């Protein structure tokens, strides 16, 4: 039985100044419709590369991605991407940013009024309808990221791809956005692949946590199934032994089995190393 | 107690407002004073140096002579305007007489062709530089966009840009002149040939800063924004219109400012060499005149050229402020 989204034996090589660099080998992953997957791994291991291949922004050297029976060959709005730094067009208002995507995706199928309503509706989903007239530079980091998410939701993607969407935000803002995302995902049942470097975030949001080994030639090391009941509440989960156990599994993968990558000039450049969370006292 | 604190609050607010006002005032007044002192010193040194320099055309002009000559030029202009008005009055009187003699005579209205005045030369120069700059822009911006979008195209064309960029307007001028006289043949020309010569020379020289900056602006668009465009599958045209152009606008304006400044400099040289009407020709004519007033008049032209260059740049800056979304990196 074919799954909704399949990553079949993906491998990729980059040609660099110092020769060919093999970033990924043999990445295999099957994802169900409505599943929430997080990718976690040390910085520079190839998480973004996996996501970009699914998005069609990069072409795999070997293997490929199959989305509902069709091979992915180029980028498209059925695989919307939320970028780490919001990627809003700075010369357009919040509304125009969403509208540009809506117009493009639904041209022909939605009338002018429907386009307007649909754009506003998606801003409402992320609670940003009240700032629709503002320019991106007038918004806080969290608000920009919400608008970026609204733009993607408005495309009604089959898969929502998120590359460390909350990585640049402070802890409190991040918690708010996580709650919003869970709420939206419950209502819309989106299929999501999200990259994170925050273990708590991964356990809170995911159905499965995909842990990647260090590069070069990175691949999937372990997959943790998060079978905690939904809706999940971060405060209650803190005391949940099962939650703690899953968290422990991810932490031990990252810090015992995969160790931090040895300090090389390349990995020093990466600033978003995995956060080491102090173990919580239950 | 509460009364007291309110009073205190008001007092504090007042004091703050005064302080703020003083700060703002000192922000304006101080630079004004300092630059006035600078200009005054410059004028004094200029005058005393000028007094010591004797040329074959008399003394080198100092600020006083320049002032005198600028008044003279204004007088000349007014006299010329009076002559022009008188000419038209005479013409219409003559026409009226002729009509009275014979109602069937064909009336010919002639244009007044008097001497070119200094303000007239300024207008001609502005008009020419405007046209040349416009030509350069409508070629340079699209060319820059293509260069920025396609690396191969850029690699192909870059050597040509690099070689033509440093060419002086004087080298272009003879070629442009011959081209214009060979190709622009019409009985009733819309433009003077001399006007086209200057304008094309300006265009050729002011092309490059805009091409180079537009290329830079387009090539350095945020990768994420390009990826957004790819995900929502914008067509090439929409991509240029919605993403590339707005994103590059601040840098394009930097190029346009440089281009206009270059164009203005080139124009004066072109007018001088090719005897095209304008400020350059004014300077050349005065030089050939060789009267005792000539150097003073040339100096007036120099100052005016400087002022106009400055104003053109300020105009571009204002446009840049108006059209650029990127309010942070506005340059001075
Ligand atoms: N376009 C590219 N050219 C060369 N090397 C690349 C390119 N993109 C990514 N890489 C390399 O591939 C590895 C994985 O990168 P990335 O997927 O961005 O890591 P992550 O997102 O997990 O931090 C890194 O070592 C990076 O230097
Ligand atoms: Mg990354």
């Amino acid at each position: 039985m074919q799954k909704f989204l399949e990553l079949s034996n993906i491998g990729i090589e980059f040609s660099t100044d110092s020769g060919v660099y093999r970033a990924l080998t043999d990445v295999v992953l099957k994802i169900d419709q409505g599943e929430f997957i997080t990718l976690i791994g040390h910085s520079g291991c190839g998480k973004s590369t996996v996501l970009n291949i699914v998005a069609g922004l990069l072409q795999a050297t070997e293997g490929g991605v199959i989305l509902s029976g069709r091979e992915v060959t180029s980028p498209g709005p059925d695989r919307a991407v939320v970028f780490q730094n919001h990627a809003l067009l700075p010369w357009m208002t919040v509304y125009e940013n969403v509208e540009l995507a809506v117009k493009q995706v639904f041209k022909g199928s939605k009338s002018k009024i429907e386009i307007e309503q649909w754009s506003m509706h998606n801003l409402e989903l992320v609670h940003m309808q009240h700032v629709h007239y503002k320019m991106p530079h007038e918004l806080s980091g969290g608000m920009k990221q919400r608008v970026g998410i609204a733009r993607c939701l408005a495309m009604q993607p089959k898969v929502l791809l998120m590359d460390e969407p909350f990585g640049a935000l402070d802890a409190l803002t991040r918690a708010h956005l996580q709650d919003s995302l869970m709420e939206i995902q419950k209502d819309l049942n989106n299929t999501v692949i999200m990259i994170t470097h925050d273990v708590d975030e991964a356990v809170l949001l995911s159905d499965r946590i995909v842990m990647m080994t260090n590069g070069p030639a990175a691949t999937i090391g372990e997959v943790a199934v998060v079978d905690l009941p939904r809706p999940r509440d971060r405060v209650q989960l803190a005391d949940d032994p099962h939650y703690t156990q899953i968290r422990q599994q991810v932490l031990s993968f990252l810090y015992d089995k995969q160790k931090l990558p040895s300090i090389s000039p390349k990995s020093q450049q990466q600033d978003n190393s995995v956060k080491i969370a102090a173990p919580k006292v239950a | 107690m509460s009364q007291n604190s309110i009073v205190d609050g008001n007092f504090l607010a007042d004091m703050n407002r005064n302080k703020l006002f003083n700060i703002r005032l000192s922000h304006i007044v101080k630079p004004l004073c300092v630059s006035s002192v600078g200009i005054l010193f410059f004028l004094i040194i200029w005058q005393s140096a000028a007094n010591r320099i004797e040329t074959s055309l008399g003394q080198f002009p100092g600020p006083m002579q320049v002032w005198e000559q600028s008044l003279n030029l204004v007088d000349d202009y007014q006299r010329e305007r009076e002559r022009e008005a008188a000419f038209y009055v005479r013409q219409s009187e003559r026409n009226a007489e002729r009509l009275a003699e014979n109602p069937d005579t064909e009336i010919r209205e002639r244009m007044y062709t008097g001497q070119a005045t200094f303000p007239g030369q300024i207008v001609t120069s502005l008009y020419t530089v405007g046209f040349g700059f416009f030509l350069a822009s409508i070629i340079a911006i699209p060319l820059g966009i293509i260069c920025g979008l396609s690396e191969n195209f850029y690699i192909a064309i870059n050597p040509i840009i690099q070689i033509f960029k440093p060419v002086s307007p004087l080298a272009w001028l003879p070629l442009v002149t011959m081209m214009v006289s060979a190709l622009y043949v019409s009985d009733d020309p819309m433009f003077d040939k001399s006007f086209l010569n200057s304008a094309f020379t300006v265009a050729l020289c002011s092309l490059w800063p805009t091409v180079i900056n537009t290329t830079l602006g387009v090539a350095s668009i945020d990768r994420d924004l390009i990826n957004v465009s790819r995900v929502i599958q914008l067509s090439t045209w929409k991509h240029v219109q919605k993403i590339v152009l707005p994103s590059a606008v601040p840098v394009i304006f930097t190029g346009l400012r440089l281009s206009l400044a270059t164009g203005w400099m080139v124009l004066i040289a072109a007018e001088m060499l090719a005897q095209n009407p304008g400020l350059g020709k004014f300077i050349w004519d005065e030089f050939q005149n060789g009267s005792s007033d000539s150097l003073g008049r040339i100096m007036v032209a120099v100052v005016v050229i400087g002022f106009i260059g400055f104003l053109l740049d300020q105009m571009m800056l204002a446009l840049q402020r108006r059209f650029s979304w990127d309010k942070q990196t506005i340059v001075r």
Side-chain angles (χ1 to χ4, degrees), chain B residues 264 304-317:
Chain B
W264 184 239
V304 166
I305 289 168
F307 258 104
I308 291 175
F310 172 72
L311 289 180
L312 288 177
D313 197 51
Q314 289 300 305
M315 187 190 77
M316 288 305 291
L317 194 63

Side-chain angles (χ1 to χ4, degrees), chain A residues 57 75-77 83 90-91 104 155, chain B residues 227 231-234 242 246-247:
Chain A
L57 294 167
F83 296 93
W91 50 88
Q104 188 62 22
M155 300 178 207
Chain B
N227 283 338
V231 167
I232 64 175
Q233 295 179 329
L234 288 180
K242 298 279 180 189
S247 173

Side-chain angles (χ1 to χ4, degrees), chain B residues 117-138:
Chain B
T117 57
F118 187 63
Q121 306 274 40
I122 294 176
V123 172
T124 312
S125 282
L126 282 175
Y127 187 51
T128 316
V129 84
F131 186 71
F133 175 65
F134 171 74
L135 270 185
S137 305
I138 60 170

Side-chain angles (χ1 to χ4, degrees), chain A residues 43-44 46-49 84 163-164 195 270 272:
Chain A
S43 156
K47 305 180 294 292
S48 296
T49 307
Q84 179 169 12
D163 193 345
E164 302 193 29
I195 294 175
Q270 310 267 354
N272 48 354

Side-chain angles (χ1 to χ4, degrees), chain A residues 14-16 21 23 42-49 266 270 272:
Chain A
F14 293 112
S15 51
T16 62
Y21 178 78
H42 287 290
S43 156
C45 71
K47 305 180 294 292
S48 296
T49 307
K266 205 172 207 169
Q270 310 267 354
N272 48 354

Side-chain angles (χ1 to χ4, degrees), chain A residues 142-208:
Chain A
M143 291 163 98
K144 283 185 233 185
Q145 210 52 275
R146 282 176 187 270
V147 177
I149 293 171
R151 176 171 63 186
C152 287
L153 292 174
M155 300 178 207
Q156 288 193 310
K158 288 180 182 151
V159 194
L160 186 59
L161 304 171
M162 307 174 100
D163 193 345
E164 302 193 29
F166 312 140
L169 306 176
D170 64 89
L172 224 60
T173 312
R174 185 185 312 182
H176 277 135
L177 276 163
Q178 287 164 353
D179 291 341
S180 284
L181 184 60
M182 278 197 287
E183 204 178 290
I184 290 165
Q185 210 252 343
K186 188 187 75 178
D187 292 345
L188 304 181
N189 198 30
N190 303 90
T191 311
V192 183
I193 306 179
M194 171 168 154
I195 294 175
T196 180
H197 55 263
D198 181 338
V199 178
D200 290 297
E201 180 172 274
V203 183
L204 178 69
L205 297 177
S206 329
D207 295 316
R208 277 189 293 160

